[in-house]
Amino acid sequence: MKKHNFGAGPCILPQEVFTQAAAAVLDFNGLSILEVSHRHKDYEAVMQEARDLVKKALNVPEGYEVLYLQGGATLGFTIAALNMMRDTKKAGYMNTGTWASGAIKEAKKAGIDVNVFASSEDKNFNYIPKDYTVPTDVDYIHFTSNNTIYGTQFKSFPKTDLPLVCDMSSDIFSQEINVADFDLIYAGAQKNLGPAGATLYIVKNDVLGKSTSPFMPSYLDLKVHAEKDSMYNTPPVFAVYVAMLNLRNLIENGGVPAMQKRNEEKAALLYGEIDRNPLFQGTVAVEDRSLMNVNFLLTNDALKDAFDAAWKGAGIVGLNGHRSVGGYRASMYNALELDSVKVLVDVMNDFAQKNG
Ligand SMILES: *Cc1c(COP(=O)(O)O)cnc(C)c1O
């Protein structure tokens, strides 16, 4: 039986995408997609389509490059800092969780004087800061749109005239965004776009080649990749191919607006159950609840083993909270079906009937 995968990443993709990807492992124009040269014209077409489909799905305006690199969002922390560094060598960062903290740490290592102008660390990152002043004496502003581990999400983005940089790893393509608000967006593929191994960069052309960093390895310079159409070195061939399949599937199914509607529906169903059911409670400020990662706790820890047995018995996987926070986390990326959420809600409901 196919499991209901609530895992935080690498995550579920549409079943058709798995089928198509599997077929290409066996036959991609007479070769396996795993053995094809990235310089083959058929593969160049894949890379081009994978880049174009990002533009289409997010209505990326003129003047932006779409790149697929390796290294995950973790290398993105460094790439962002090195590429956005200008005269002040200062940057404003918002600290809303583990990944945001990681971005801060790497920016410092890259030589940025980091001003953490907003943080929710005082309450174990269970809310999105709202009372803050965005600094003006820095090169850029960085934030993390969705906090995968804590289950909080920005509902409106920081307002600034400075270049805005965002780690969108866990909510890109889940909701409509205005790319023109950003100078740089980066996202590890494995949360909503494709398999692990590719990292997406959407970067404004104006940004490229303006770094003041004394240290700039070629691979970390987005200008180098942009000039080579994201083929500076061997790209993550298979991961980009599957991302392309997934983006085709996304667009065929109504694109980002349709996904957003579906994600809102799934989130309303699960949060509704958490709020209604006396055995469960949410962990984050209600107005900041993530549509992608839903964190919750049992109100009575003594029921843990029984609840774990119940959801596992229903074919659900990946529901344990991140090791740093405990409790439960239901990740509901684009490809997770509403029916899977219904299965979880039924388990919770039944559980309350038996143990209430
Ligand atoms: C998963 C995640 C990361 C880390 O991604 P890697 O690809 O493992 O480096 C960074 N930021 C956010 C928001 C994430 O969800």
Side-chain angles (χ1 to χ4, degrees):
M1 179 182 88
K2 181 80 180 146
K3 305 272 188 189
H4 302 284
N5 185 5
F6 287 85
C11 75
I12 186 171
L13 293 170
Q15 192 57 44
E16 308 89 283
V17 170
F18 289 138
T19 308
Q20 291 162 355
V25 169
L26 297 176
D27 180 20
F28 175 78
N29 301 341
L31 293 172
S32 165
I33 188 70
L34 302 182
E35 66 178 326
V36 72
S37 163
H38 60 293
R39 303 291 175 200
H40 191 288
K41 66 173 177 22
D42 291 347
Y43 190 75
E44 280 179 356
V46 168
M47 176 58 95
Q48 196 52 49
E49 183 175 349
R51 297 169 76 206
D52 289 344
L53 289 174
V54 170
K55 293 189 174 173
K56 191 165 175 192
L58 294 175
N59 297 315
V60 177
E62 288 291 305
Y64 283 78
E65 289 287 346
V66 173
L67 306 169
Y68 288 92
L69 310 187
Q70 306 200 37
T74 302
L75 189 60
F77 301 157
T78 305
I79 289 182
L82 290 182
N83 284 267
M84 300 308 296
M85 187 186 292
R86 299 291 182 267
D87 291 338
T88 76
K89 296 192 164 43
K90 288 194 244 173
Y93 275 68
M94 300 183 79
N95 187 8
T96 54
T98 307
W99 298 122
S101 307
I104 290 167
K105 178 177 151 208
E106 296 307 316
K108 287 179 180 165
K109 287 193 179 192
I112 298 272
D113 179 359
V114 176
N115 172 356
V116 181
F117 64 92
S119 169
S120 49
E121 198 170 7
D122 59 336
K123 291 192 182 160
N124 198 29
F125 301 116
N126 73 359
Y127 70 103
I128 296 289
K130 285 156 204 101
D131 294 323
Y132 55 80
T133 308
V134 180
T136 52
D137 62 336
V138 296
D139 293 334
Y140 67 94
I141 302 297
H142 181 284
F143 74 109
T144 311
S145 54
N146 183 68
N147 298 286
T148 325
I149 292 175
Y150 297 90
T152 61
Q153 188 174 27
F154 281 77
K155 306 292 160 167
S156 67
F157 297 150
K159 304 257 174 307
T160 176
D161 295 330
L162 289 170
L164 189 59
V165 179
C166 186
D167 173 1
M168 280 193 198
S169 293
S170 55
D171 65 357
I172 195 158
F173 303 113
S174 72
Q175 59 181 3
E176 293 187 82
I177 54 163
N178 184 13
V179 173
D181 291 343
F182 298 90
D183 281 52
L184 173 62
I185 294 169
Y186 63 98
Q190 72 275 17
K191 309 278 167 57
N192 231 352
L193 174 59
T199 313
L200 178 67
Y201 291 78
I202 304 173
V203 59
K204 207 179 207 168
N205 283 115
D206 293 350
V207 164
L208 302 172
K210 302 228 173 84
S211 174
T212 57
S213 172
F215 174 74
M216 182 62 98
S218 304
Y219 192 84
L220 304 189
D221 188 348
L222 293 176
K223 182 170 191 263
V224 168
H225 293 284
E227 282 173 357
K228 298 287 184 188
D229 295 326
S230 204
M231 293 273 228
Y232 168 66
N233 67 333
T234 314
V237 171
F238 184 63
V240 172
Y241 182 73
V242 181
M244 179 205 77
L245 295 174
N246 190 40
L247 289 166
R248 278 186 189 164
N249 186 279
L250 175 92
I251 287 166
E252 277 163 20
N253 287 289
V256 172
M259 278 311 141
Q260 178 168 349
K261 188 157 169 284
R262 184 169 131 112
N263 290 329
E264 285 167 353
E265 216 177 320
K266 291 185 287 187
L269 183 62
L270 183 53
Y271 284 118
E273 179 63 18
I274 290 168
D275 290 342
R276 188 201 63 75
N277 190 319
L279 295 189
F280 298 96
Q281 67 187 58
T283 62
V284 306
V286 170
E287 70 276 13
D288 302 326
R289 284 173 161 178
S290 169
L291 296 190
M292 295 284 98
N293 312 96
V294 178
N295 285 34
F296 60 96
L297 300 171
L298 276 166
T299 48
N300 175 1
D301 273 341
L303 294 174
K304 183 178 183 316
D305 289 346
F307 181 58
D308 290 350
W311 58 263
K312 286 176 186 168
I316 289 170
V317 297
L319 203 63
N320 285 320
H322 188 270
R323 58 190 184 281
S324 64
V325 295
Y328 298 97
R329 171 175 55 170
S331 297
M332 306 196 296
Y333 297 113
N334 283 354
L336 186 82
E337 298 285 348
L338 181 64
D339 279 346
S340 292
V341 183
K342 286 183 180 157
V343 169
L344 173 58
V345 165
D346 284 347
V347 167
M348 293 166 80
N349 192 11
D350 279 358
F351 192 68
Q353 311 251 318
K354 289 187 189 122
N355 297 280

